[in-house]
Amino acid sequence: MKEEIDFILDSAKESMDAAVMHLEKAFMKIRAGKASPAMLSSVMVDYYGSQTPLSQVANVNTPDGRTLSVQPWEKSMLAEIEKAIMVANLGFNPMNNGETVIINVPPLTEERRRDLAKQAKAEAEHAKVGVRNARQEANKEVRALEDASDDLKKNTEADIQELTDTYGKKIDAFLGAKEAEIMKV
């Protein structure tokens, strides 16, 4: 019986961890004023007829806080990379200097900062929904245990709720940090 309950708690914790990890990845894609190679993670380049992630055909660096530098491994890919960045519709204007593609990241306007903060809130809410779904699933599994006493079921549900609250606070902390990063001028 104890093993079954431990398994239910572990699988709930695993699902909640997955929701938080997804949130971290989503937050990496939301830019907060300074340039980051993660900003170009969604760019797909036409590499000899197949769509390939930019990171597999070029080296992406940040020489300073406002600039991204994309150095292709093959010089012939410069035009394709430039085109792919434009097609990705990220709001960047790439410049080709013959060896690298340079992207100046414009500073965020106040309105854009608010939009990004809203986007971060939406992602955090999405993660919270994932945590609540994991709680719901775990509670359902606990209630389905036939040879467990009512007290044991109640205690396990309380443990699951405690886990849910912990992950909720973790998500709120991530959101607070990301909002502060976004709104910092």
Side-chain angles (χ1 to χ4, degrees):
M1 181 54 50
K2 173 122 176 69
E3 285 124 15
E4 290 173 29
I5 288 174
D6 285 346
F7 178 75
I8 292 170
L9 287 171
D10 285 345
S11 65
K13 190 175 188 311
E14 216 170 90
S15 296
M16 292 177 188
D17 274 334
V20 171
M21 281 174 37
H22 179 78
L23 178 67
E24 287 176 2
K25 285 181 184 159
F27 276 0
M28 285 177 102
K29 290 182 181 139
I30 298 175
R31 76 176 243 219
K34 59 181 188 251
S36 157
M39 296 168 135
L40 298 177
S41 63
S42 63
V43 175
M44 299 297 271
V45 180
D46 183 19
Y47 186 66
Y48 298 111
S50 66
Q51 291 296 312
T52 310
L54 178 63
S55 61
Q56 292 183 11
V57 296
N59 203 3
V60 182
N61 293 318
T62 50
D64 58 61
R66 293 262 175 245
T67 312
L68 285 169
S69 167
V70 182
Q71 187 162 18
W73 293 321
E74 297 175 33
K75 292 256 192 290
S76 61
M77 293 302 298
L78 272 171
E80 284 295 331
I81 290 172
E82 206 172 358
K83 187 173 130 195
I85 293 169
M86 294 294 269
V87 169
N89 200 14
L90 299 170
F92 296 139
N93 190 13
M95 294 177 291
N96 177 347
N97 70 3
E99 289 190 17
T100 58
V101 175
I102 297 170
I103 302 166
N104 287 319
V105 179
L108 296 172
T109 63
E110 188 63 30
E111 184 181 337
R112 182 70 179 133
R113 286 179 196 279
R114 282 196 209 102
D115 289 347
L116 290 173
K118 280 182 193 169
Q119 188 181 343
K121 257 188 192 129
E123 289 292 346
E125 192 52 44
H126 186 72
K128 283 183 179 181
V129 168
V131 168
R132 288 193 293 266
N133 286 344
R135 175 191 63 194
Q136 189 177 14
E137 193 61 40
N139 283 340
K140 201 183 295 177
E141 288 177 31
V142 168
R143 290 184 197 116
L145 293 175
E146 291 169 8
D147 47 347
S149 68
D150 286 344
D151 284 347
L152 185 60
K153 287 180 183 179
K154 288 254 185 279
N155 289 341
T156 306
E157 285 180 8
D159 290 346
I160 293 168
Q161 184 59 47
E162 197 175 299
L163 205 57
T164 304
D165 294 342
T166 303
Y167 278 91
K169 287 178 185 150
K170 217 183 248 189
I171 290 169
D172 287 338
F174 275 134
L175 176 62
K178 189 63 178 181
E179 280 182 327
E181 188 182 336
I182 290 169
M183 297 311 276
K184 191 174 100 186
V185 179

